[in-house]
Amino acid sequence: MSNPVLQACDLTKAYGRFTALDKLNISIDAGQIFCLLGANGAGKTTTINLFLNFISPTSGQALVDGKDVKKHPLATKTELAYIPETVNLYGHLTGLENLQFFTALAGLRELSRNDLLELLERVHLPHAAIDRRMGAYSKGMRQKVAIAIAIAKQPKALLLDEPTSGLDPSAANEFSQLLESLRDDGAAILMATHDLFRAKEVGTRLGIMRSGKLIDTVLASEIDHQDLEQLYLQHMRS
Amino acid sequence: MASSKSSLSSRSLLSLAFWGFWKSPGARWLCLVFVALLAIASFSGYRTYQRRLSVIEQAATLSQTNRTLQIASLKGIEDPEVALGRPVTKQERGRARIQRIIATLPTSLAYSGGNFNALLSPSPMMILSSGASDLWPDRFTITAYSQRRNLQREDIASPWQLEAGVWDVTTLVVYLLPLVIVAFTYNVVADDRERGTLAIILSNPIRLDHWVLANLLVRSLTAIVLVLPFSLLPIILAYGSDQFQTVATSASFWGLLVAVYGLFWMTVSLFVVGLGRSSLNNGIVLVVFWFALVAVVPNGVAEFAQARQPVLSQQELITSERAFREAAERDGKELKDRYYKQHPEVKRPSHEQDRYNQTHWDIVRLETDRQTQPLIRKSLAQVEARFGIHRWGMAGSPALACKLAFDDLSGTSVGQHVQFCLRASEFDEDFKTFFQPRMMSREELTLEDYDQMPAFQHQTLAFERDASLQGTALLVLLLWTLAVGAIGYRRIQHRSHMA
């Protein structure tokens, strides 16, 4: 039995009488993509924020590589990479400079310019854009730089919050391919998304959330697109 | 690609924070503008210092030359070139003739300007702070009628002196350095949060409080480091002089105060950043702090001091002096008789010796000066008391503490000028004690008299420091920095989830 890289054990977050996340239990192994599906306010982003230790759980534990993020915030973050919904890196810096800055923040100061160029090549950032200021980048291009940062960290776990929101189909497709390559490298990936199609395409397991609860989990390989949509709508209506 | 993951060391965090700051739009421009303003202020300070030094040196040289010519005359040396040991101009030759004539005449010598001066030589530190030097005299011409003469000095309010006070490095440090630090730091964390980069930053093994401190530190230190090289200017100017050690110590302490003052403003930013508001909100709150601590409190202290210690105006002093003179002129004969009665050792001159009744006018003027003196001293004591209130006021404003300490280090503080005036006043008394009996007897001066003539001994007053004021200023700055810093740091620690 393999050790899960990401694990939520009765993870709960309440704000006063409002429960944003209610006893969530999930575990994600290396090389798996777990997609959290759900409407706005379902608790997807709260889950990711708890894994990042941006908020403290009311009860339960969020574990990264077996370590409680509350007790070991810095140690767990060395194993994590995070891509938010809107990637707004520094517009006054070039893509390359942003990559240099954020990889250095991750403690990867020894990366050479060639290493950084290699990373940007791997995420298919157009060569002409590399030395252009990021303020002129499209959302897809910014997302690619964010993935390059994540790849550079060689994380055990990757947390993605609505990463394909606002991307055109071609960019979203490219993003999926990059995600799959990260999965194949052995990363455990937790992705919060509204995009059922993309979730089915890349996900290993799909979890449907409503009102802070994980109400259903299915294997992506055992369900087709239409059935997934039906299941999702059914849960949202009930 | 070979890479290894590790938490950032403090040094790496600082260098990364600096790299990010240096690349941010406007940072380099603001640095450039600030340095340009400091350079202009330094140049202005240098010109003011040079002009003051030149005036003081001219006065000292003139006084020394006159004395040499007078002594030479008493020794029977008539040729000024022989007396001075150098070629002289036609103009100097004319002046030498006058000095030969008045050399033995106590009344003429006592009324003549250019022979006795109380001079305050400027310290090269004045380049950094012209302080109160545009409002207070740095030289007094001591004569038998000094008070009158010094009360009516026009050069104290002359345009070139007034231009010195406003645009100096100290003003820029006290007023502008905090604003530069505010401009550099108001958006620390808030900007990243608004941009959405804070979440990505904090998804790395970095503590929020460390990230905030690293950013505040490098930005504040950048502003401080821009100022510090200017403290070298006085050291360079003083190099090789007797006062080098003193100036170097003062300049070093000046630099230390600048650094602590800058760090104080960093802690104010830390406190405001800890509130967790937007960049705009932070900017507004910081400007309010700046306005309160740099403008409102110091002005409040000044108003309070003025209300508690109202100082006699120049106009009131002149009006009183006129009244004393009128009374002395009216009672001149009586005053003269009383003088000779009270001073039997002073031989009353015969009518032949005093055919123009000069002793009458001497006693009138000496009596006027004698009565004016206590008023001037009282006025100076009030200014000193007012300055004392300002010293207490330092506790309420680090800006005021800095300003007073900087002026004191530069030899241009109100306290130093008051001390100079008081010592000039003492010299004036010594001068009159020496000359009055000789004027009233109209006996000729001898070489022995020249040996006994008083001289002003406090030319280096501007180089003296008030250790208690300096210590208090540093203590005030440190206490404010530690107190605000501790509160700010606690706030940041409590906001570890600002992403």
Side-chain angles (χ1 to χ4, degrees):
Chain A
M1 190 181 148
S2 63
N3 287 327
V5 179
L6 289 171
Q7 197 175 6
C9 305
D10 288 333
L11 193 59
T12 303
K13 179 66 187 177
Y15 296 98
R17 291 164 66 183
F18 172 71
T19 305
L21 191 66
D22 193 3
K23 291 186 178 166
L24 177 74
N25 285 290
I26 53 169
S27 66
I28 309 165
D29 292 342
Q32 280 193 347
I33 300 179
F34 191 106
C35 296
L36 281 177
L37 302 167
N40 289 336
K44 306 185 297 290
T45 300
T46 302
T47 306
I48 287 176
N49 283 343
L50 283 162
F51 273 110
L52 287 164
N53 194 39
F54 288 171
I55 50 176
S56 297
T58 309
S59 63
Q61 284 180 308
L63 305 171
V64 175
D65 203 22
K67 288 178 193 144
D68 186 343
V69 297
K70 185 73 196 152
K71 288 180 185 156
H72 308 281
L74 297 186
T76 53
K77 280 178 183 175
T78 58
E79 310 299 349
L80 279 179
Y82 167 62
I83 300 176
E85 178 183 354
T86 311
V87 177
N88 281 328
L89 301 179
Y90 296 115
H92 58 278
L93 300 181
T94 65
L96 189 67
E97 286 171 337
N98 266 293
L99 183 59
Q100 190 183 350
F101 179 78
F102 283 98
T103 51
L105 265 183
L108 306 164
R109 289 185 72 82
E110 71 275 24
L111 293 183
S112 67
R113 182 180 160 88
N114 279 344
D115 292 336
L116 298 172
L117 289 171
E118 209 175 281
L119 282 164
L120 291 174
E121 219 164 84
R122 185 173 164 190
V123 297
H124 307 300
L125 188 76
H127 202 264
I130 286 172
D131 288 319
R132 223 165 54 206
R133 290 188 175 197
M134 246 185 117
Y137 280 23
S138 67
K139 182 172 180 186
M141 286 157 78
R142 294 203 302 269
Q143 209 81 337
K144 283 176 180 175
V145 176
I147 295 173
I149 295 167
I151 292 172
K153 282 180 83 173
Q154 297 175 330
K156 285 187 177 171
L158 179 60
L159 303 168
L160 305 156
D161 194 0
E162 311 279 6
T164 54
S165 148
L167 290 185
D168 63 57
S170 155
N173 193 48
E174 272 191 273
F175 182 80
S176 297
Q177 286 172 10
L178 287 167
L179 214 55
E180 282 166 350
S181 86
L182 275 166
R183 178 198 61 195
D184 296 342
D185 286 348
I189 299 171
L190 174 64
M191 177 165 85
T193 183
H194 294 291
D195 187 346
L196 300 184
F197 175 80
R198 201 60 57 194
K200 161 74 183 98
E201 283 294 299
V202 299
T204 314
R205 279 187 298 149
L206 315 171
I208 299 173
M209 293 188 79
R210 202 185 68 192
S211 306
K213 285 184 177 158
L214 182 67
I215 50 177
D216 204 350
T217 312
V218 290
L219 283 171
S221 56
E222 290 176 356
I223 194 164
D224 64 20
H225 285 110
Q226 272 190 335
D227 290 344
L228 175 62
E229 192 172 359
Q230 285 298 321
L231 182 70
Y232 180 79
L233 292 172
Q234 189 186 321
H235 281 307
M236 291 303 112
R237 284 191 203 112
S238 58
Chain B
M1 182 181 69
S3 67
S4 60
K5 285 180 275 186
S6 58
S7 292
L8 281 178
S9 65
S10 303
R11 199 174 149 192
S12 300
L13 198 62
L14 286 169
S15 70
L16 202 55
F18 179 74
W19 188 84
F21 162 65
W22 200 239
K23 285 272 182 180
S24 64
R28 277 168 287 184
W29 275 110
L30 189 51
C31 288
L32 197 66
V33 170
F34 189 43
V35 169
L37 291 174
L38 286 165
I40 294 168
S42 301
F43 182 66
S44 161
Y46 173 74
R47 274 164 46 98
T48 307
Y49 164 71
Q50 284 294 355
R51 274 189 300 226
R52 291 222 152 210
L53 189 64
S54 152
V55 169
I56 296 295
E57 282 177 352
Q58 275 175 29
T61 308
L62 179 64
S63 174
Q64 186 55 44
T65 307
N66 287 347
R67 186 178 162 84
T68 307
L69 289 168
Q70 287 151 12
I71 291 172
S73 168
L74 286 174
K75 287 178 177 170
I77 303 167
E78 299 287 310
D79 187 349
E81 291 196 348
V82 175
L84 296 172
R86 61 172 172 82
V88 294
T89 61
K90 195 178 172 188
Q91 197 184 358
E92 281 180 310
R93 201 170 281 279
R95 204 168 58 228
R97 195 163 51 244
I98 296 169
Q99 297 310 317
R100 274 203 309 277
I101 295 167
I102 67 172
T104 55
L105 308 174
T107 304
S108 301
L109 193 60
Y111 279 114
S112 142
N115 285 290
F116 299 92
N117 290 296
L119 301 172
L120 180 66
S121 287
S123 159
M125 285 294 291
M126 188 189 177
I127 293 172
L128 302 177
S129 182
S130 45
S133 60
D134 55 341
L135 301 170
W136 288 82
D138 56 0
R139 65 186 195 281
F140 285 109
T141 305
I142 306 298
T143 69
Y145 207 14
S146 304
Q147 305 302 350
R148 175 77 182 162
R149 217 182 153 111
N150 291 319
L151 279 175
Q152 290 188 326
R153 284 171 61 106
E154 294 90 7
D155 59 342
I156 296 167
S158 78
W160 70 258
Q161 282 185 317
L162 282 174
E163 79 182 341
V166 186
W167 193 245
D168 63 1
V169 176
T170 284
T171 307
L172 288 180
V173 170
V174 171
Y175 287 86
L176 209 57
L177 176 67
L179 280 182
V180 171
I181 291 174
V182 164
F184 283 168
T185 58
Y186 78 101
N187 60 355
V188 165
V189 173
D191 185 49
D192 276 321
R193 196 174 46 242
E194 286 154 17
R195 197 195 298 266
T197 38
L198 186 60
I200 301 179
I201 290 168
L202 295 181
S203 68
N204 291 297
I206 292 168
R207 282 173 52 173
L208 175 69
D209 52 350
H210 288 185
W211 182 241
V212 171
L213 281 178
N215 272 284
L216 289 177
L217 205 58
V218 294
R219 291 165 189 229
S220 305
L221 284 178
T222 301
I224 293 166
V225 164
L226 294 178
V227 178
L228 291 182
F230 290 90
S231 67
L232 295 176
L233 296 175
I235 299 178
I236 294 166
L237 271 184
Y239 185 74
S241 75
D242 295 345
Q243 301 294 340
F244 175 72
Q245 192 75 34
T246 312
V247 172
T249 311
S250 294
S252 306
F253 197 73
W254 188 90
L256 176 68
L257 288 172
V258 169
V260 182
Y261 185 57
L263 289 175
F264 161 70
W265 282 101
M266 183 198 82
T267 62
V268 175
S269 283
L270 177 68
F271 172 78
V272 174
V273 165
L275 298 174
R277 306 273 170 81
S278 67
S279 302
L280 179 66
N281 204 299
N282 287 354
I284 292 169
V285 174
L286 281 167
V287 169
V288 169
F289 267 108
W290 174 83
F291 191 65
L293 294 175
V294 174
V296 176
V297 175
N299 277 297
V301 171
E303 287 295 324
F304 177 74
Q306 201 171 350
R308 285 295 299 268
Q309 295 292 340
V311 177
L312 283 175
S313 69
Q314 196 85 338
Q315 190 189 3
E316 286 170 305
L317 285 171
I318 290 173
T319 306
S320 302
E321 190 269 349
R322 278 182 189 158
F324 295 142
R325 180 159 46 100
E326 278 167 21
E329 280 176 10
R330 194 180 56 238
D331 306 331
K333 189 175 180 310
E334 196 182 311
L335 286 169
K336 191 170 149 183
D337 291 343
R338 196 191 307 152
Y339 179 83
Y340 287 118
K341 200 174 171 186
Q342 285 173 351
H343 298 86
E345 76 281 4
V346 177
K347 194 180 160 197
R348 192 168 187 151
S350 64
H351 180 71
E352 194 62 28
Q353 284 173 308
D354 189 20
R355 74 174 71 151
Y356 302 111
N357 201 13
Q358 181 61 41
T359 48
H360 168 81
W361 296 110
D362 291 345
I363 200 77
V364 165
R365 285 171 179 169
L366 289 165
E367 177 64 13
T368 307
D369 254 20
R370 192 186 65 75
Q371 290 199 40
T372 312
Q373 186 81 282
L375 271 186
I376 289 175
R377 289 216 175 184
K378 186 185 168 199
S379 184
L380 288 172
Q382 282 168 318
V383 174
E384 216 171 20
R386 191 188 279 193
F387 188 61
I389 294 174
H390 279 258
R391 287 173 68 131
W392 278 103
M394 290 197 298
S397 165
L400 184 59
C402 261
K403 169 72 178 150
L404 294 186
F406 287 163
D407 286 352
D408 181 68
L409 286 170
S410 306
T412 56
S413 73
V414 172
Q416 274 150 321
H417 279 287
V418 168
Q419 282 305 313
F420 171 64
C421 291
L422 287 170
R423 289 175 196 190
S425 191
E426 283 166 13
F427 175 46
D428 188 87
E429 269 186 39
D430 292 345
F431 173 89
K432 286 186 175 108
T433 305
F434 175 84
F435 271 101
Q436 189 168 15
R438 289 164 176 84
M439 288 162 76
M440 295 306 285
S441 66
R442 299 191 67 73
E443 282 174 0
E444 290 199 342
L445 294 170
T446 61
L447 272 174
E448 201 178 300
D449 288 326
Y450 271 85
D451 288 340
Q452 291 166 9
M453 272 180 199
F456 187 67
Q457 306 288 346
H458 308 284
Q459 284 91 345
T460 56
L461 190 67
F463 293 86
E464 291 172 15
R465 293 181 299 267
D466 182 340
S468 124
L469 187 142
Q470 297 301 335
T472 311
L474 184 60
L475 187 68
V476 164
L477 283 172
L478 285 172
L479 287 177
W480 271 88
T481 306
L482 290 173
V484 180
I487 298 168
Y489 187 64
R490 277 181 68 83
R491 282 187 163 276
I492 287 289
Q493 280 192 314
H494 287 156
R495 289 189 174 271
S496 58
H497 308 303
M498 288 170 86

